[in-house]
Amino acid sequence: MSLLLVLDLVGTFVFAISGATAGVARRLDLFGILVLSFVAGNVGGIIRDILIGSVPPAAISDWRYLAVSLLAGLITFYWYSAVARLRSPVLVFDAAGLALFAVSGAQKALAFGLNPVMAALLGMLTGVGGGMMRDILVAEIPTVLRADLYAIAALAGAAVVVIGNVLQLPPTATTIIGALLCFGLRLMAIHRGWHLPIAKWPERSSSQKHGPDDETM
Amino acid sequence: MSLLLVLDLVGTFVFAISGATAGVARRLDLFGILVLSFVAGNVGGIIRDILIGSVPPAAISDWRYLAVSLLAGLITFYWYSAVARLRSPVLVFDAAGLALFAVSGAQKALAFGLNPVMAALLGMLTGVGGGMMRDILVAEIPTVLRADLYAIAALAGAAVVVIGNVLQLPPTATTIIGALLCFGLRLMAIHRGWHLPIAKWPERSSSQKHGPDDETM
Amino acid sequence: MSLLLVLDLVGTFVFAISGATAGVARRLDLFGILVLSFVAGNVGGIIRDILIGSVPPAAISDWRYLAVSLLAGLITFYWYSAVARLRSPVLVFDAAGLALFAVSGAQKALAFGLNPVMAALLGMLTGVGGGMMRDILVAEIPTVLRADLYAIAALAGAAVVVIGNVLQLPPTATTIIGALLCFGLRLMAIHRGWHLPIAKWPERSSSQKHGPDDETM
């Protein structure tokens, strides 16, 4: 079992915990929680594999992704109080999972011949896709669309891998550097409350909750 | 026209009715109702076909799936009061559709070379996918994540097919047994109110509606 | 650069503006707005390409779709007040984008050997898919399920292309006629408030907001 696979499964595990926690918080039953575990841990990779034409996706054809996801869901289900107390360690693991998925996703996209810009974006998508689908399933606006540099950190990590590939640098080194950059950016964003700017809002409507209703044109 | 195709189209029809009913209840126009009919009746099979690499999916390349879906949508649209009164018969048809999609989905996944565990899960996904997408489109948490043994019944039916395949039992027999098991489990769950356990909730936050906001980590 | 590609990118641009506007109205940060821009401008085409087996999708493999989407997002972000005032011109561009995506989507589906009915529906899906996904991401019932002849206009335009193909008429002529028909229908629907019928509602429950809760069966 390669180091990359180990790290990949660790990433799946921590993302699956985030899905299971969302399910418990909404009082879903055990099955719903396991579904959210699998979705949060694997949908990012599944979407990437479908887009690059690598079917069936690894998360479907390799049973270990499923096993790790279900394990995370069961642990969260039976020890929810303990997991809920772990908020800060879980955030660190989550950042680690994001970092790894971003770099491994970018590498896989490059291996399938995508152009560098789209490879970096697919790396980012691999990192954030599971959390987006988790939030869609519980009928919320995905947190990644709001959260502190979450996707930007993934994009930065994936970009390092892609730039290294273009410059023909050794892939192991750029993978490690990319993962560390993503991990560090995300932790800094959490601890310092970094976030991206939001658009200036027309004065006339600043008191409305969702803004004007013309957004859907 | 094979028996399997007939049963498949019957399943599509009853699921399409569930989609159309959801659309009428939200006062969508005729087009929106027909879209929800098609989605509820076919998205489970479409996702399965994309995941196993069988494109274009059968629901796209065979016009009969579309015709049956639209017919169900039109009937619901023009005779909504009658359909709404049929609640209990429709639940029985819905359980039948679930049973059939679960076993046919598992067989198709096996035919495309997936491992047994994922084939069973894809059978389950075929059964529940349409309903999940229907609920996502109307901005709700999918009922399958909450409902009484709905997905578990589908998984059990698909598992029978897969186990039969591993043990090289005659596929016709295992298909019938798997479908009957799923159908029976689902009906029993409805009539007796069976459901899966939900996680124990920390005492401190039991009065909140959605639970603590830390679920997205 | 062919005329078709130019028109396609214009369509992507105006749809991306609709996505960015939705993001600004919900106070998302810059990244969230750019994601919604890309989603609204490209998801329709991506889903079509996945369904017909053309992977990686053009929106992933050709960097210009991304560039145009990001440009639209940035313009909306920095000049939101100006864009919001443009409501009526944007509606016209949006109708033009819908028209073009519908006819080009139908042509691509025909080129991949789909049957005429599904080719017309995939043309429609190409036109409306981006807006549907945009609304799912911001946790709303997609407007296309409600709006004035939006999808029907796309379907009409796509149908002209498909019928022309069946009758072996010159494709350039049918493409132009189909696009004009879609564009005209949509503008007429906006200006005159045309809409499709909705189902008659049982009297007993007409005072409820969402209707009876039995829609999910």
Side-chain angles (χ1 to χ4, degrees):
Chain A
M1 195 147 87
S2 71
L3 177 63
L4 194 65
L5 181 57
V6 172
L7 293 173
D8 211 15
L9 291 174
V10 172
T12 301
F13 184 80
V14 290
F15 278 132
I17 285 180
S18 81
T21 314
V24 172
R26 274 163 193 78
R27 319 308 317 269
L28 300 182
D29 67 20
L30 177 56
F31 171 78
I33 288 164
L34 295 179
V35 168
L36 281 174
S37 302
F38 184 79
V39 163
N42 296 283
V43 161
I46 289 174
I47 294 176
R48 176 205 59 207
D49 288 352
I50 291 174
L51 287 176
I52 64 179
S54 165
V55 288
I60 301 289
S61 56
D62 184 337
W63 63 273
R64 286 170 293 199
Y65 290 90
L66 174 69
V68 161
S69 304
L70 296 185
L71 182 65
L74 288 172
I75 289 172
T76 307
F77 182 79
Y78 287 109
W79 293 284
Y80 178 73
S81 301
V83 170
R85 270 195 299 271
L86 274 179
R87 183 173 155 74
S88 188
V90 169
L91 273 176
V92 174
F93 279 116
D94 182 67
L98 182 72
L100 185 90
F101 277 9
V103 295
S104 70
Q107 282 182 322
K108 187 159 186 181
L110 286 171
F112 274 75
L114 266 73
N115 69 60
V117 172
M118 291 312 307
L121 287 168
L122 278 175
M124 181 185 80
L125 179 64
T126 310
V128 307
M132 289 184 83
M133 193 66 200
R134 172 197 66 205
D135 293 343
I136 290 174
L137 280 181
V138 296
E140 298 211 333
I141 298 181
T143 26
V144 62
L145 294 182
R146 304 181 179 279
D148 323 306
L149 292 192
Y150 195 86
I152 294 294
L155 184 58
V160 168
V161 171
V162 169
I163 292 168
N165 179 273
V166 171
L167 302 177
Q168 301 190 308
L169 301 177
T172 309
T174 59
T175 299
I176 292 170
I177 293 169
L180 287 176
L181 175 64
C182 171
F183 184 69
L185 268 178
R186 175 67 185 139
L187 287 191
M188 294 293 280
I190 293 171
H191 288 305
R192 308 212 168 169
W194 286 350
H195 58 82
L196 291 176
I198 65 174
K200 264 189 294 192
W201 193 251
E203 290 302 317
R204 58 178 166 80
S205 57
S206 59
S207 62
Q208 289 173 253
K209 191 187 164 200
H210 275 307
D213 279 327
D214 55 4
E215 70 271 13
T216 51
M217 308 201 184
Chain B
M1 196 146 86
S2 70
L3 177 64
L4 195 65
L5 180 58
V6 172
L7 294 173
D8 211 15
L9 291 174
V10 171
T12 300
F13 183 81
V14 291
F15 278 132
I17 285 181
S18 81
T21 314
V24 173
R26 275 163 192 78
R27 318 308 317 268
L28 300 182
D29 67 19
L30 177 55
F31 171 77
I33 288 164
L34 294 179
V35 168
L36 281 174
S37 302
F38 185 79
V39 163
N42 296 281
V43 161
I46 289 174
I47 294 177
R48 176 205 57 208
D49 287 352
I50 291 174
L51 288 176
I52 64 177
S54 165
V55 289
I60 301 290
S61 56
D62 183 336
W63 63 272
R64 287 171 293 200
Y65 291 89
L66 174 68
V68 160
S69 305
L70 297 185
L71 181 66
L74 289 171
I75 289 173
T76 306
F77 183 78
Y78 287 109
W79 293 285
Y80 178 72
S81 301
V83 170
R85 269 196 299 274
L86 273 180
R87 182 172 157 75
S88 187
V90 169
L91 273 176
V92 173
F93 279 117
D94 182 68
L98 181 73
L100 185 90
F101 277 8
V103 295
S104 69
Q107 282 182 322
K108 188 160 184 179
L110 286 170
F112 274 74
L114 266 73
N115 69 60
V117 173
M118 291 313 305
L121 286 167
L122 278 175
M124 181 186 80
L125 179 64
T126 310
V128 306
M132 290 183 83
M133 193 66 200
R134 173 197 66 206
D135 294 343
I136 290 174
L137 281 181
V138 296
E140 297 211 334
I141 298 181
T143 26
V144 62
L145 295 182
R146 304 180 178 280
D148 324 304
L149 293 192
Y150 195 86
I152 293 294
L155 184 57
V160 168
V161 171
V162 169
I163 292 169
N165 179 273
V166 171
L167 302 178
Q168 300 190 309
L169 302 177
T172 310
T174 59
T175 299
I176 292 171
I177 293 170
L180 287 177
L181 175 64
C182 171
F183 184 69
L185 269 178
R186 174 66 184 139
L187 287 192
M188 293 293 280
I190 294 171
H191 289 305
R192 308 211 169 170
W194 285 349
H195 57 82
L196 291 176
I198 65 174
K200 265 190 293 193
W201 193 253
E203 290 302 317
R204 57 179 166 80
S205 56
S206 61
S207 63
Q208 288 171 255
K209 190 185 165 202
H210 276 308
D213 279 325
D214 54 4
E215 70 271 13
T216 51
M217 306 199 187
Chain C
M1 195 147 87
S2 70
L3 177 64
L4 194 66
L5 181 58
V6 172
L7 294 173
D8 210 16
L9 292 174
V10 172
T12 301
F13 184 81
V14 291
F15 278 132
I17 286 181
S18 81
T21 314
V24 173
R26 275 164 192 78
R27 320 307 318 268
L28 300 182
D29 67 19
L30 177 56
F31 171 78
I33 288 163
L34 295 179
V35 168
L36 281 174
S37 302
F38 184 79
V39 163
N42 295 283
V43 161
I46 289 174
I47 294 176
R48 176 203 59 208
D49 288 352
I50 290 175
L51 288 176
I52 63 178
S54 166
V55 289
I60 301 290
S61 56
D62 183 337
W63 63 271
R64 287 171 294 199
Y65 291 89
L66 174 68
V68 160
S69 304
L70 297 184
L71 181 66
L74 289 171
I75 288 173
T76 307
F77 183 79
Y78 286 109
W79 293 285
Y80 178 71
S81 301
V83 170
R85 271 196 298 272
L86 274 179
R87 181 172 158 74
S88 188
V90 169
L91 274 176
V92 174
F93 279 117
D94 182 67
L98 182 72
L100 185 90
F101 277 9
V103 294
S104 70
Q107 282 182 323
K108 187 159 185 179
L110 286 171
F112 274 74
L114 266 73
N115 69 61
V117 172
M118 291 313 306
L121 286 168
L122 279 175
M124 181 186 79
L125 179 64
T126 310
V128 308
M132 289 184 83
M133 194 66 200
R134 172 198 67 205
D135 294 343
I136 290 174
L137 282 181
V138 296
E140 298 212 333
I141 298 181
T143 27
V144 62
L145 294 182
R146 304 180 179 279
D148 323 305
L149 293 191
Y150 195 87
I152 293 294
L155 183 58
V160 168
V161 171
V162 169
I163 292 169
N165 178 273
V166 171
L167 302 176
Q168 301 190 308
L169 301 176
T172 310
T174 58
T175 299
I176 292 171
I177 293 170
L180 287 177
L181 175 64
C182 171
F183 185 69
L185 268 179
R186 174 68 184 138
L187 287 191
M188 294 293 281
I190 293 170
H191 289 304
R192 308 211 167 170
W194 286 349
H195 58 82
L196 291 176
I198 64 173
K200 265 190 294 192
W201 194 251
E203 291 301 317
R204 56 180 166 77
S205 56
S206 60
S207 62
Q208 288 172 256
K209 191 186 163 201
H210 275 310
D213 279 326
D214 54 3
E215 69 272 14
T216 50
M217 307 203 185

